[in-house]
Amino acid sequence: MASQVSPGIVLKERDLSNAVIVGAQQITAGFASTFRKGPIDQIVNINSQKQFIEVFGKPTDANAEDWFVASEFLNYGGRLAVVRAAT
């Protein structure tokens, strides 16, 4: 372990790409974007990638970056409270 003479920040990098999140079903995040379909300005609780695609559709060129962030969060077992924003 590194020691410091004065206050500071110690950075440690850990690869958690294969980690299993314990209690992930209790983690809920909020997410908003312009999706292709789905209810506008209403909170929809999403529990899986399949449900996400059924409700909000597949990614488009306009929302691909946002769509994949939400999809990957669901891939790790979390839940999303999703809102489709009007364009």
Side-chain angles (χ1 to χ4, degrees):
M1 171 118 188
S3 62
Q4 296 179 309
V5 177
S6 61
I9 298 172
V10 176
L11 298 177
K12 294 181 181 181
E13 185 174 339
R14 295 182 186 164
D15 182 12
L16 299 175
S17 59
N18 293 324
V20 175
I21 301 172
V22 177
Q25 289 300 322
Q26 297 174 2
I27 300 171
T28 302
F31 197 83
S33 185
T34 54
F35 298 110
R36 192 175 79 184
K37 64 178 191 174
I40 295 175
D41 294 332
Q42 294 179 13
I43 298 172
V44 180
N45 292 313
I46 303 292
N47 296 313
S48 68
Q49 288 178 327
K50 182 179 178 182
Q51 183 185 13
F52 184 58
I53 292 170
E54 289 172 357
V55 175
F56 293 102
K58 294 185 177 182
T60 64
D61 290 340
N63 70 3
E65 190 172 318
D66 291 344
W67 193 94
F68 283 109
V69 168
S71 179
E72 282 301 308
F73 182 84
L74 291 167
N75 189 39
Y76 285 101
R79 293 181 300 180
L80 280 178
V82 183
V83 175
R84 177 181 173 211
T87 55

